[in-house]
Amino acid sequence: MKLHLKSRTLELFYPDGSFELTAEFLRVHSPSAEVRGHGIGQGVLQTGKKLVGIKQVVPAGNYALKIVFDDGHDSGLYTWEYLYDLAHDQERYWQEYLRQLEQAGASRDGGMIARG
């Protein structure tokens, strides 16, 4: 694992290749209850995270990482399995996120999109 502060990406190395995940992607897919909710269908769509950065990555034992974002979010543990899944299905997850933003009339910048 390697944190790239300037490009705001986290590079992950697995036997089948290396993958770069942006801070924004990781932040909006946080495994925390704040983002996912406390039950099925209770997730909270994250907006305004386009420019979020990662301040710190802290190992949580041998099974996960705690990612500290510069917007103050630092809850939820990213297990190696979850990170692997995010890396391998990154495009599908990203397109689903963009679709949810569009449906909500929200934007990655945080504002609402005018509809007319």
Side-chain angles (χ1 to χ4, degrees):
M1 179 234 20
K2 185 174 183 182
L3 176 59
H4 301 278
L5 292 173
K6 234 180 208 178
S7 63
R8 298 191 315 264
T9 60
L10 182 65
E11 189 173 7
L12 302 169
F13 302 93
Y14 289 97
D16 59 344
S18 66
F19 304 88
E20 281 196 37
L21 302 176
T22 66
E24 177 186 17
F25 179 80
L26 289 165
R27 176 62 178 84
V28 302
H29 292 94
S30 171
S32 71
E34 174 189 328
V35 174
R36 287 194 163 177
H38 293 280
I40 296 173
Q42 295 182 356
V44 177
L45 181 63
Q46 301 297 296
T47 62
K49 303 302 178 190
K50 185 176 183 177
L51 300 178
V52 74
I54 297 172
K55 288 174 62 173
Q56 185 180 20
V57 178
V58 181
N62 291 323
Y63 72 98
L65 297 175
K66 178 179 179 174
I67 301 177
V68 180
F69 295 91
D70 63 9
D71 68 351
H73 183 76
D74 66 356
S75 60
L77 294 178
Y78 293 78
T79 65
W80 291 112
E81 287 177 349
Y82 182 57
L83 288 167
Y84 184 85
D85 182 52
L86 288 177
H88 280 81
D89 280 335
Q90 186 174 178
E91 185 60 27
R92 180 177 61 84
Y93 284 120
W94 186 247
Q95 291 307 316
E96 175 62 19
Y97 171 66
L98 294 178
R99 186 188 65 74
Q100 289 175 359
L101 281 177
E102 186 177 339
Q103 281 184 335
S107 80
R108 293 171 54 211
D109 296 313
M112 297 305 281
I113 297 172
R115 296 182 184 217

